[in-house]
Amino acid sequence: MLNAAKFIFQTEIVLLWRRSQEWLYPLAFFCIIICLFPLAFTPDPAFLQKYMPGCIWIAALLASLLAIENIFFTEWEEGYLEQLLLSQIPLSLLMFIKLSAQWIVTQLPLIMLTPLLGFLFHLPLSATLALCASLLLGTPILTLTGSLCAALTLGLRQQGVLLGLLVFPLITPVLIFGVSIVQQSQAGLSIGGPLAFLSGLMILAMMLLPWTIAAMLRAAIDE
Amino acid sequence: MNKKSAHLHVNNLTCKRGAQILFSDLSFELKDSEMLLIEGANGSGKSSLLRLLTGLASACAGVIKWQGREIQMIRDEYTSALHYLGHTNGMRSGLTIEENLQLSSHLSLSASIVINDTLKSLQLDQHKNTYIKHLSAGQKRRAALAKIFLLPKKIWILDEPLTALDASAQTFFLAALEQHLQNGGMAIISSHHPLTFQHAAIKHLRLASC
């Protein structure tokens, strides 16, 4: 089972890497959205220091939605999803593997790019680190919640719009605590509280959502 | 393959699409070495019936029993005994044939498989490292059949397996199917082609068009 899980994980990574649009588009989208904020408001460093972390969070949110939109669609069309349902490995484990690969390929590059963005927008080092930590804990929740909603809306037309309407209300706590980690760090306060809360949310999501997603997919296929 | 005698029992199965009843009160039995050929016009519910039999879809009414127990209760045991090939081939277009076959063997937790001989007999050995998306419809179908030949399982549930295959591939598939039945396997197949075997019995099921 472990051997099979390892092979499936590698396959997922290889596939995502080959379909470069899967990770390149969200990454480019993330950068462009962030560059628009100083243009729309003001390039004043004091303003940027204060508001850029929130803008980066919003951009990460939008980019994660872009990355998650078609997560099950190709496999559903190819009939591979049915083969997954009939496989000898629990579907929830398969989903956990798939979503881990998805997170590594689509979200991790955003987080690695964040220090550069922090430097560009005059964020102090401590705030940049806090921002990276908040994204590191928050983005897995975005991937998990996004794919839950993608499983719910599988096969519907205009899926993207509906996905946004479903996902954004659900992940408001992540946004609130993610941004407050950076704000508290900038105000010189301890970031332990929101950091612990966000970690708790992430662990909860990792424990529960793979099962929920598996159940949703079974229901989506059974129609 | 499991040597114990196996038994699939379908009782009073009813399936609806929307408000329309596709078929109702369908009952049949299938034992070792038997094959069920499902015939019927387009839209008569052949694919829906096959999906019900895999357990992927659930019926409006009726029960499907494997070894005397309902398949929804023993899902793992039942799916470990069956191959399903739908209209879509279930192969990932971004992977090569070899990668797809390895993935399938890992998904069914089988020991490592030797794919070369089977690919050769399906005339796919040249394309072992070709992406599925670069293959023709017939080649994709053959690659999907290769998976079924490589991983021995008791029941084959195949939806129009002969579609897009050329004459030589059809002959090869039918020979493999007959061999499977002689070895005690079962098959449930929907097809528009008439099938005849010398050494295996075929049960027919005709779905009325609606």
Side-chain angles (χ1 to χ4, degrees):
Chain A
M1 179 85 91
L2 206 62
N3 206 0
K6 204 174 127 202
F7 183 87
I8 294 164
F9 178 73
Q10 283 167 354
T11 310
E12 289 291 340
I13 295 270
V14 166
L15 257 180
L16 284 166
W17 186 254
R18 283 184 193 159
R19 290 197 299 239
S20 49
Q21 76 270 23
E22 300 270 353
W23 53 275
L24 219 51
Y25 287 3
L27 191 62
F29 185 78
F30 178 68
C31 294
I32 286 178
I33 293 278
I34 286 171
C35 295
L36 290 180
F37 282 110
L39 295 175
F41 301 118
T42 157
D44 172 32
F47 174 87
L48 289 179
Q49 279 179 8
K50 191 156 183 223
Y51 292 107
M52 244 7 235
C55 297
I56 290 177
W57 253 100
I58 298 270
L61 217 67
L62 295 173
S64 82
L65 195 68
L66 191 70
I68 221 78
E69 191 181 335
N70 287 324
I71 181 166
F72 299 121
F73 186 75
T74 328
E75 293 166 17
W76 180 60
E77 261 190 339
E78 288 169 351
Y80 176 69
L81 220 47
E82 292 178 339
Q83 298 296 331
L84 282 187
L85 259 67
L86 296 174
S87 82
Q88 290 310 293
I89 302 175
L91 191 59
S92 44
L93 177 62
L94 289 170
M95 285 304 122
F96 188 78
I97 295 171
K98 179 177 169 56
L99 295 178
S100 314
Q102 175 84 16
W103 179 79
I104 288 172
V105 176
T106 63
Q107 305 286 301
L108 205 55
L110 307 190
I111 298 169
M112 289 180 349
L113 202 68
T114 304
L116 180 70
L117 294 169
F119 176 71
L120 275 178
F121 297 119
H122 316 284
L123 291 184
L125 186 66
S126 63
T128 309
L129 286 178
L131 182 59
C132 285
S134 71
L135 284 174
L136 205 59
L137 294 174
T139 46
I141 311 177
L142 300 186
T143 303
L144 283 158
T145 317
S147 28
L148 176 68
C149 296
L152 263 174
T153 58
L154 189 65
L156 296 180
R157 253 179 270 168
Q158 297 272 310
Q159 192 198 15
V161 182
L162 185 57
L163 201 57
L165 294 177
L166 285 171
V167 173
F168 290 144
L170 283 176
I171 42 94
T172 40
V174 182
L175 183 67
I176 291 168
F177 283 94
V179 175
S180 76
I181 289 174
V182 188
Q183 284 170 344
Q184 299 215 9
S185 144
Q186 282 174 322
L189 300 169
S190 155
I191 59 170
L195 209 56
F197 190 86
L198 206 56
S199 322
L201 267 186
M202 182 187 74
I203 291 167
L204 187 71
M206 276 164 50
M207 301 285 275
L208 291 181
L209 287 186
W211 273 265
T212 325
I213 292 166
M216 287 295 161
L217 284 178
R218 265 189 208 289
I221 293 284
D222 177 8
E223 52 174 36
Chain B
M1 203 177 288
N2 191 358
K3 290 291 173 201
K4 202 174 59 180
S5 83
H7 186 205
L8 184 72
H9 190 100
V10 172
N11 206 4
N12 291 328
L13 207 59
T14 302
C15 176
K16 278 186 192 169
R17 187 190 293 137
Q20 189 189 28
I21 293 176
L22 286 174
F23 48 81
S24 59
D25 294 331
L26 196 68
S27 303
F28 62 85
E29 270 188 302
L30 208 62
K31 295 195 180 73
D32 285 347
S33 300
E34 285 183 336
M35 173 180 142
L36 182 73
L37 182 66
I38 301 171
E39 297 158 311
N42 294 132
S44 57
K46 299 190 293 294
S47 301
S48 304
L49 174 58
L50 291 179
R51 279 172 60 84
L52 290 184
L53 292 174
T54 60
L56 284 172
S58 40
C60 290
V63 283
I64 305 170
K65 284 183 176 174
W66 172 245
Q67 317 284 46
R69 284 186 291 167
E70 283 190 46
I71 57 168
Q72 306 294 354
M73 299 294 146
I74 48 161
R75 197 157 53 196
D76 286 344
E77 186 191 323
Y78 183 58
T79 54
S80 72
L82 86 90
H83 266 307
Y84 171 63
L85 176 61
H87 279 295
T88 49
N89 292 314
M91 312 285 275
R92 311 191 75 176
S93 55
L95 296 177
T96 65
I97 294 184
E98 186 177 12
E99 287 167 336
N100 260 303
L101 294 175
Q102 297 290 0
L103 183 61
S104 301
S105 91
H106 276 107
L107 281 175
S108 58
L109 293 177
S110 311
S112 61
I113 47 173
V114 183
I115 62 173
N116 284 340
D117 292 343
T118 308
L119 286 189
K120 191 165 251 156
S121 49
L122 283 163
Q123 296 156 16
L124 283 172
D125 47 337
Q126 307 283 329
H127 303 288
K128 196 168 85 175
N129 296 318
T130 310
Y131 291 134
I132 294 289
K133 61 185 168 195
H134 296 152
L135 295 174
S136 75
Q139 287 170 325
K140 281 179 197 167
R141 204 65 177 165
R142 286 186 208 189
L145 289 174
K147 182 187 84 182
I148 292 172
F149 301 151
L150 282 167
L151 303 167
K153 294 197 181 180
K154 189 83 183 169
I155 319 174
W156 292 2
I157 299 183
L158 313 177
D159 199 350
E160 312 259 0
L162 297 174
T163 313
L165 293 182
D166 61 20
S168 71
Q170 289 193 1
T171 316
F172 181 78
F173 166 72
L174 292 175
L177 178 60
E178 192 165 6
Q179 187 63 48
H180 170 69
L181 293 173
Q182 278 178 323
N183 290 343
M186 302 174 176
I188 304 170
I189 288 175
S190 74
S191 182
H192 291 298
H193 300 255
L195 301 181
T196 46
F197 293 126
Q198 285 176 325
H199 304 290
I202 301 183
K203 287 185 172 182
H204 290 263
L205 177 71
R206 174 158 281 280
L207 296 178
S209 56
C210 42

